Amino acid sequence: QKQNRSATMSALPPDTCFLALGDEDSVLSLREQIAALEGVLNTLEPRRKVLLIPPDYTRYHSRVGPLTAACDRYFGDRVKDVLPALGTHAPMTPEQFSKMFEGVSFDKMRVHDWRNDVVTIGEIDEEMVSKASDGAMREPFPVQLNRLVWEGEHDLIISLGQVVPHEVLGMANYNKNLFIGVGGAEAINLSHFIGATYGMERMMGIAWNPLRAILEEASKLTKELPILYVLTVVGRDDDTGELVTRGLFCGTGYSCFASAAELSLKVNFTMLEEPLDKAVVYLDAEKFHSTWLGNKAIYRTRMAMRDGGHLIILAPGVCRFGEDDAIDLLIRKFGYRTTPETMENLKNSFELKENLSAAAHLIHGSSEGRFRITYCPGGLSKEEVEGVGYDFSDLEAMRARYDPEVLRDGWNLVEGERVFFVSNPAIGL
């Protein structure tokens, strides 16, 4: 009750879009973005205790790091906490934090413990869960938040992130940052499994879907929290190949997210004339250390792959399967099999039932037998890779043939072979 009274005093207007800047041709400079963001912040009443919820280092390309630092400079010591939306990911190191959020004190960083440091604030009716999962699950959806978000008595919570196609929720960010990014194990497990059973092909790039509807219901339980969303849309410059910010959106509800998602549809989708026979995806060694993260190479290309095609993943930094030791063991045990196989394993395994996000990840990471996947990791053996159901190839040999320093995003001709190259699978579909 104390938290609610504090939040109500500093409440923001519901579902208001304060800023919608940019279009599919825009190249927004950092100076423009910061000026626009500060313009929004200037309209707010004075704040005394601010919480920032940015993405973690795996979302470095979101171009949200400098905006997080700008918020920190704007509020100064009134920013009491910075809580990266880790989800199930490993905590940020001091080096990663200082690189992504330049100038922000590491002492402000709080680590989200998705297994323990959460509170359940309510639940969503099982009927919505049944509908969202096509009847595969029939149980209430727990609405969970990091305890600091719910009990921290902040008078402003700024959630920052990139809107981009996403395998679990259709489009990433907005209230996903809260209920999954700083949510608890039950909610993360159930949301990922709902997304997997509903079907990635039905979900990817669709802003409004049954799982998003569940999160919208969840948002009704947090309406007294003073949450401001700051959302970017990032694309690749056709001439330089560099990442540029196309859009910046600030608001308090779905309408702001919907505007960002509409722009992302124009910016982050590559439509092809024909399916891909061979695709090569490169995973930056600094950002992708596990297949849990690196399998974006599969999620973001599978709708374009031809039956019988070949996906090659150059993964110099990948040295494990799960970000979390328990999930790493589950991936090694069950592997990336077809959906029917994983669902059968789920029936017979208590530990998989207790970790539905792992089951969902195994489904997402399968080609369903349609096309071949060859992983070329820097830190996993042939036996380990083949043990989870992928083909293995030597990284250096493959990198010599498909040099990521030489290939350009899109179609390339490599020794007479036509290859589609993706330098960063995290920025589009």
Side-chain angles (χ1 to χ4, degrees), residues 1-19:
Q1 290 175 344
K2 181 180 178 183
Q3 184 272 336
N4 284 343
R5 284 199 300 272
S6 172
T8 301
M9 291 174 61
S10 54
L12 296 172
D15 199 10
T16 300
C17 191
F18 297 113
L19 176 68

Side-chain angles (χ1 to χ4, degrees), residues 192-229:
H192 281 65
F193 192 69
I194 289 170
T197 55
Y198 185 75
M200 189 186 304
E201 279 77 7
R202 296 167 66 190
M203 185 79 79
M204 291 281 275
I206 308 297
W208 184 261
N209 54 64
L211 184 51
R212 182 66 71 178
I214 289 175
L215 296 196
E216 278 301 288
E217 283 296 306
S219 287
K220 294 177 181 178
L221 300 176
T222 63
K223 61 185 178 182
E224 292 185 342
L225 290 179
I227 302 168
L228 177 69
Y229 294 101

Side-chain angles (χ1 to χ4, degrees), residues 278-285 288-302 305 309-321 336 361 364-367 371-380 385 388-400 402-404 407 419-426:
K278 178 166 282 187
V280 176
V281 180
Y282 178 73
L283 300 177
D284 187 315
F288 295 98
H289 302 135
S290 65
T291 59
W292 183 271
L293 296 176
N295 276 2
K296 279 184 170 55
I298 301 169
Y299 315 152
R300 306 296 167 86
T301 57
R302 60 183 279 164
M305 293 299 299
H310 189 189
L311 172 63
I312 298 170
I313 304 171
L314 305 177
V318 168
C319 57
R320 56 185 295 147
F321 297 109
Y336 297 98
H361 171 73
H364 285 150
S366 168
S367 75
F371 56 91
R372 179 182 169 198
I373 300 171
T374 298
Y375 243 100
C376 311
L380 290 171
V385 170
V388 299
Y390 295 139
D391 289 344
F392 173 90
S393 193
D394 179 72
L395 174 64
E396 294 311 317
M398 281 295 198
R399 188 153 53 178
Y402 305 108
D403 188 346
L407 299 180
V419 174
F420 194 89
F421 179 64
V422 179
S423 65
N424 183 353

Side-chain angles (χ1 to χ4, degrees), residues 31-189:
R31 179 175 294 182
E32 285 179 279
Q33 295 172 64
I34 292 175
L37 176 57
E38 289 182 347
V40 172
L41 299 179
N42 287 339
T43 67
L44 305 181
E45 296 175 358
R47 306 285 156 157
R48 60 175 180 80
K49 187 178 183 183
V50 179
L51 166 64
L52 304 180
I53 307 178
D56 67 3
Y57 195 70
T58 66
R59 308 292 195 269
Y60 183 84
H61 57 267
S62 66
R63 305 178 76 84
V64 165
L67 297 179
T68 304
C71 289
D72 184 73
R73 289 193 300 272
Y74 183 92
F75 289 106
D77 60 9
R78 289 173 290 167
V79 173
K80 304 299 183 183
D81 307 287
V82 179
L83 179 68
L86 295 177
T88 62
H89 300 171
M92 293 178 73
T93 65
E95 294 75 21
Q96 291 172 339
F97 187 90
S98 62
K99 181 176 179 179
M100 188 163 179
F101 311 123
E102 186 175 353
V104 181
S105 171
F106 187 70
D107 291 339
K108 294 182 180 181
M109 190 187 88
R110 311 292 176 247
V111 175
H112 173 58
D113 181 350
W114 66 291
R115 294 192 185 276
N116 302 299
D117 194 21
V118 296
V119 59
T120 301
I121 65 173
E123 60 183 31
I124 306 303
D125 186 83
E126 62 184 25
E127 290 295 333
M128 289 194 73
V129 174
S130 178
K131 179 180 177 182
S133 64
D134 277 350
M137 300 293 294
R138 190 177 183 85
E139 61 183 75
F141 184 92
V143 182
Q144 299 179 311
L145 286 171
N146 183 282
R147 196 172 296 277
L148 182 66
V149 179
W150 187 244
E151 300 176 355
E153 297 190 5
H154 299 88
D155 55 14
L156 182 61
I157 299 170
I158 304 180
S159 172
L160 307 98
Q162 177 193 8
V163 175
V164 67
H166 191 269
E167 59 278 2
V168 173
L169 253 166
M171 284 287 192
N173 232 270
Y174 173 44
N175 47 19
K176 173 185 179 290
N177 221 37
L178 296 176
F179 301 121
I180 298 176
V182 292
E186 294 172 73
I188 291 173
N189 280 328

